[in-house]
Amino acid sequence: GNTITVTWPSVAQAEKYVVYRTVDNSRQYWRGATPGTTFTDTTRRGTIVYYVAAKVGNVKSARTQCQGAQNPPAGPIAPLSCTQVTNGNTITVTWPSVAQAEKYVVYRTVDNSRQYWRGATPGTTFTDTTPRGRIVYYVAAKVGNVKSARTRCQAPQNPPPITSADALVVGDLAQCSGRNRAAEVGALLDRISGPIWGTGDYAYPDGTAAEYRDCSGPSLGRHKGRFNPVPGNHDYRTPNAAGYFGYFGAAAGNPDQGYYSQQVGEWNVLFLNSNCSKVGGCGRGSPQYRWINQLLATVPKNSCLAAVIHEPRWSSWGPYASQDNLDSMMRLLSRRGLDLLVSGHGHHYERLATLNPDGVADPNGFRQITVGTGGVPLRTPAVADVLPYSESLVTDAFGVLALDLTPTGYSWQFIDVDNNILDSGTGSCTS
């Protein structure tokens, strides 16, 4: 470290020993005297050399240079190997120890910026709460005035990024003005094959044909053929959601309804319209309620059931915390064995515990996951608005939800645009 110990053999009749020190080839300065044969010094920085003389009465031996390990080493320090692991908005950087290293210096880049010093630590780990963007860390070891080259830390793929899914869920995608991360989400979709369950609001602010063409199209247009969409509230800012239905065509269903169903393996999937006032309501007796009731009467009771909708039944997103107008439909779906509800609207990712239609935790209830992380600016709910049964809430990462569907259950991974898996798990069908 920063301590040097000097030792020598004893000299007969020596009354004391005198120690001298040079720093970076300076003049030899007296450092201390001791009756023993050892001397410990806390050094300055630099190349340190000690000299010792024995003294008997008024007679003193010549000064002798003490040989020892170079501190710091004479040669260069080999570059470090290091890794960075992301957990939410926290990144932990680790590296192996270097012999005699007094400290390690960490640098960081954000979106390929200049490498800025981030911190120094005597240990072999560094934890950083990062800004948003593409983060890369570099580490160097320092022994005295000698410093190793900076080494780029690699992010381990653990687990490896998936390349396909039975369904990819994402909504709240692109806007024409302001900050927009839809291009990064589009690039993520390039890397993962599979159908996309769109949870609404694909072109902000009004869902016009021009906004779909100019704002959503450049980032997501190449994926249009993969979408099984549902309409969002912004889509209906254009009368009759004409921009939405014109863009997605037959994939969006009957323009007078905006709801339809699909068989995905052993799963029955309902794509619903939460813009209730635009389609004759969502309550008992409404056209959409009757359609759900008639459809599910033909579905085997032991099959798995999912629903895709724009507005969630429950949310931690303040003013949109509870969509009471969906209550009747959700109760009907729950009675018919709903297992999974995916939604958008809230500009965050949120996974709730399995709940019954009264919003009470129930292992036999359905799970709701909100995925409004497609590119428009994210929002962080107030602490007081976070639901007590919210099990995972991500408010600072854009990405998609990847689903694998089996005859008896499902698994999920929320993957951000940097291929980090921020939430994952499995669930079983209750029917």
Side-chain angles (χ1 to χ4, degrees):
N2 66 341
T3 298
I4 292 182
T5 301
V6 184
T7 60
W8 55 89
S10 62
V11 173
Q13 299 179 321
E15 299 166 2
K16 63 180 177 181
Y17 304 90
V18 185
V19 183
Y20 302 82
R21 181 181 73 187
T22 69
V23 180
D24 293 332
N25 297 315
S26 64
R27 175 183 172 187
Q28 295 176 29
Y29 286 100
W30 177 84
R31 183 57 183 160
T34 174
T37 58
T38 186
F39 180 81
T40 301
D41 194 17
T42 300
T43 71
R44 306 181 209 175
R45 299 270 52 80
T47 301
I48 313 297
V49 178
Y50 290 83
Y51 301 80
V52 175
K55 192 171 184 184
V56 181
N58 290 327
V59 179
K60 188 167 62 175
S61 68
R63 302 175 186 177
T64 303
Q65 180 175 332
C66 302
Q67 302 299 323
Q70 292 291 337
N71 184 15
I77 306 170
L80 298 168
S81 61
C82 56
T83 59
Q84 61 184 67
V85 177
T86 301
N87 181 15
N89 68 339
T90 299
I91 293 182
T92 301
V93 184
T94 57
W95 56 89
S97 62
V98 173
Q100 299 181 316
E102 297 160 10
K103 63 180 176 180
Y104 304 89
V105 185
V106 183
Y107 303 83
R108 181 181 73 188
T109 68
V110 180
D111 295 331
N112 297 316
S113 62
R114 176 182 172 186
Q115 293 178 29
Y116 285 102
W117 178 84
R118 184 59 184 161
T121 173
T124 58
T125 186
F126 180 81
T127 301
D128 195 16
T129 302
T130 71
R132 294 271 40 89
R134 191 174 297 275
I135 314 295
V136 178
Y137 291 82
Y138 300 78
V139 175
K142 193 171 183 184
V143 181
N145 289 329
V146 179
K147 187 165 63 174
S148 68
R150 301 176 186 179
T151 303
R152 179 184 175 124
C153 302
Q154 302 299 320
Q157 297 295 345
N158 186 22
I162 64 171
T163 58
S164 65
D166 292 329
L168 298 163
V169 184
V170 68
D172 301 273
L173 288 149
Q175 63 181 10
C176 286
S177 60
R179 192 177 185 190
N180 183 13
R181 302 286 291 275
E184 295 170 66
V185 175
L188 176 60
L189 292 171
D190 289 337
R191 302 192 291 270
I192 309 175
S193 64
I196 301 168
W197 295 354
T199 57
D201 285 356
Y202 312 90
Y204 280 74
D206 299 317
T208 66
E211 288 168 349
Y212 269 96
R213 181 190 67 231
D214 299 335
C215 309
S216 178
S219 300
L220 299 157
R222 62 189 179 277
H223 301 296
K224 182 170 70 170
R226 300 167 59 188
F227 268 86
N228 303 122
V230 297
N233 59 301
H234 281 266
D235 294 308
Y236 275 97
R237 289 188 177 183
T238 293
N240 302 314
Y244 163 80
F245 286 107
Y247 187 77
F248 287 112
N254 185 332
D256 293 330
Q257 298 174 333
Y259 48 86
Y260 56 96
S261 68
Q262 195 174 75
Q263 189 79 17
V264 181
E266 301 293 324
W267 282 69
N268 297 283
V269 185
L270 277 61
F271 296 84
L272 304 176
N273 193 338
S274 62
N275 297 275
C276 301
S277 64
K278 308 297 183 182
V279 291
C282 294
R284 292 177 62 87
S286 67
Q288 186 169 203
Y289 184 98
R290 294 198 307 269
W291 173 82
I292 294 171
N293 198 26
Q294 293 168 3
L295 177 70
L296 294 184
T298 66
V299 170
K301 291 185 178 180
N302 61 349
S303 60
C304 296
L305 179 63
V308 183
I309 200 166
H310 176 60
E311 296 184 52
R313 175 62 183 90
W314 300 283
S315 174
S316 292
W317 195 29
Y320 307 99
S322 180
Q323 299 298 323
D324 294 336
N325 60 337
L326 301 178
D327 181 68
S328 294
M329 287 202 316
M330 293 301 117
R331 289 182 181 276
L332 173 61
L333 288 166
S334 181
R335 288 197 303 270
R336 295 303 180 92
L338 179 64
D339 299 296
L340 178 64
L341 175 68
V342 293
S343 62
H345 197 53
H347 294 184
H348 58 234
Y349 171 85
E350 184 172 32
R351 173 174 55 83
L352 304 184
T354 53
L355 304 172
N356 66 25
D358 294 318
V360 177
D362 183 347
N364 296 315
F366 62 88
R367 185 182 304 281
Q368 179 192 286
I369 303 179
T370 295
V371 193
T373 53
V376 298
L378 302 175
R379 298 180 185 175
T380 301
V383 173
D385 291 330
V386 177
L387 300 174
Y389 38 79
S390 178
E391 293 186 335
S392 178
L393 180 62
V394 179
T395 62
D396 59 355
F398 297 87
V400 303
L401 177 70
L403 295 173
D404 283 330
L405 308 175
T406 71
T408 59
Y410 58 97
S411 62
W412 72 85
Q413 295 180 346
F414 178 58
I415 306 168
D416 75 3
V417 294
D418 293 318
N419 275 333
N420 299 305
I421 297 174
L422 305 185
D423 186 43
S424 62
T426 61
S428 299
C429 295
T430 58
S431 54

